[in-house]
Amino acid sequence: MKHKSNERLTLSKKEVTILEIAYKTGFSSIGSFNRASKATTFQTPTEVRKTYLAMVNN
């Protein structure tokens, strides 16, 4: 991913949409962002967000 650490930090903020994160990290489409995320984390950005929030809230 282009800016993996920035993506993870931003994904923790529920008020920021996945599409906004994709554009802010240099992706031109949500599809390419999802594919890149899945290739590196084995999860879509939405899944990454859910996993992170579940860990933080426990």
Side-chain angles (χ1 to χ4, degrees):
M1 288 200 126
K2 295 181 181 185
H3 302 284
K4 188 188 288 190
S5 62
N6 288 343
E7 172 216 341
R8 286 191 179 154
L9 289 173
T10 307
L11 279 171
S12 67
K13 299 176 183 175
K14 290 170 71 173
E15 66 274 2
V16 180
T17 68
I18 301 296
L19 184 59
E20 287 176 292
I21 297 166
Y23 289 145
K24 287 180 181 180
T25 55
F27 289 89
S28 59
S29 73
I30 192 70
S32 60
F33 184 59
N34 283 341
R35 282 188 297 279
S37 178
K38 194 110 173 162
T40 58
T41 66
F42 304 103
Q43 295 180 312
T44 66
T46 301
E47 293 167 335
V48 171
R49 176 180 271 175
K50 286 179 184 178
T51 301
Y52 175 80
L53 291 174
M55 289 187 320
V56 170
N57 292 327
N58 283 331

